[in-house]
Amino acid sequence: AQKVTQAQTEISVVEKEDVTLDCVYETRDTTYYLFWYKQPPSGELVFLIRRNSFDEQNEISGRYSWNFQKSTSSFNFTITASQVVDSAVYFCALSEEGYGGSQGNLIFGKGTKLSVKP
Amino acid sequence: NAGVTQTPKFQVLKTGQSMTLQCAQDMNHNSMYWYRQDPGMGLRLIYYSASEGTTDKGEVPNGYNVSRLNKREFSLRLESAAPSQTSVYFCASRARGRVSEQFFGPGTRLTVL
């Protein structure tokens, strides 16, 4: 059965600190996709990154970086030099290969609420 | 492009009332989804439509019905609202293909008294 676990319910840091949000997933598929979404206090969901199971290269985008490790079934997200605008709930999600109509369906973790204080 | 739009933004219902949440996308996406978000629960899939003319149940379909009116529009209906359906509802859409991400609407905050 597929599952996404974000063990950190809430994290609080002071501005400029680095912070890592953990994501552990379970799947029996060999082909799958992992996503991170951001939900700021305004409530909308913003897509951040997609990674497929065959691409274990780490990704860096500005202050954001993602570490994908198949050996530990983890897809962790690090924010370097955090800012107050990074305060949000962050969701990790899994999409399995699926068949027919269920392709692309997302299984979400419960989210990690990040508070960055000035 | 407006992306994914949802109406209404807020709604208060009494137990037993019915209502329809509307969703439309202008990105020519094939697949559309309805989720509910409850505190501490993440997003849970209610129903999805892989393409125009098809709909399927997700994780939590009880108490809901959906209609894929055309390629652009996907509505969610509560026939007899219950307090347990108090939630924030998100509609999403996705282009064809395995790798594409879902794009979300702004959400509808529903309270059932």
Side-chain angles (χ1 to χ4, degrees):
Chain A
Q2 60 274 29
K3 186 179 178 182
V4 176
T5 301
Q6 295 179 255
Q8 305 150 308
T9 306
E10 292 193 40
I11 300 175
S12 182
V13 299
V14 177
E15 208 169 19
K16 297 184 184 175
E17 283 186 26
D18 298 348
V19 58
T20 295
L21 309 183
D22 297 333
C23 173
V24 173
Y25 62 91
E26 295 176 31
T27 178
R28 293 179 183 171
D29 280 8
T30 54
T31 302
Y32 52 90
Y33 306 87
L34 296 162
F35 301 79
W36 276 95
Y37 282 85
K38 174 182 180 180
Q39 186 177 41
S42 51
E44 73 273 22
L45 282 146
V46 179
F47 165 75
L48 295 177
I49 191 172
R50 172 188 61 242
R51 174 67 73 223
N52 74 55
S53 54
F54 297 109
D55 182 3
E56 285 194 74
Q57 280 192 336
N58 290 337
E59 174 108 4
I60 297 175
S61 176
R63 296 183 298 105
Y64 294 175
S65 62
W66 290 269
N67 179 253
F68 175 33
Q69 291 196 333
K70 286 178 76 170
S71 60
T72 56
S73 297
S74 64
F75 186 42
N76 296 338
F77 173 29
T78 297
I79 301 174
T80 302
S82 59
Q83 299 176 2
V84 172
V85 293
D86 295 326
S87 296
V89 180
Y90 291 87
F91 291 98
C92 180
L94 166 71
S95 174
E96 294 183 321
E97 177 78 1
Y99 297 94
S102 67
Q103 271 189 3
N105 285 10
L106 291 175
I107 299 114
F108 282 87
K110 294 184 178 181
T112 297
K113 182 177 181 180
L114 173 65
S115 298
V116 181
K117 302 190 186 311
Chain B
N1 281 353
V4 181
T5 57
Q6 293 183 234
T7 55
K9 284 188 167 38
F10 301 94
Q11 184 71 46
V12 179
L13 293 178
K14 294 181 180 178
T15 297
Q17 287 185 318
S18 61
M19 80 159 296
T20 299
L21 280 64
Q22 307 286 354
C23 173
Q25 51 90 11
D26 62 1
M27 296 176 282
N28 201 35
H29 286 170
N30 289 299
S31 302
M32 297 186 73
Y33 307 82
W34 276 106
Y35 294 89
R36 60 177 289 171
Q37 182 180 20
D38 302 295
M41 296 296 292
L43 281 86
R44 293 181 293 170
L45 183 64
I46 304 171
Y47 270 93
Y48 64 99
S49 171
S51 60
E52 188 179 352
T54 68
T55 61
D56 282 288
K57 295 178 181 179
E59 181 186 354
V60 288
N62 291 347
Y64 305 95
N65 285 301
V66 290
S67 295
R68 182 75 183 265
L69 304 169
N70 48 55
K71 191 171 186 179
R72 288 188 63 247
E73 298 172 289
F74 188 37
S75 62
L76 178 72
R77 182 158 179 84
L78 287 70
E79 290 291 352
S80 179
S84 60
Q85 294 177 304
T86 293
S87 189
V88 180
Y89 291 85
F90 286 97
C91 177
S93 69
R94 192 180 75 90
R96 188 188 298 274
R98 293 177 295 173
V99 299
S100 55
E101 66 272 19
Q102 293 185 18
F103 292 85
F104 285 81
T108 295
R109 186 173 294 275
L110 175 67
T111 302
V112 183
L113 302 174

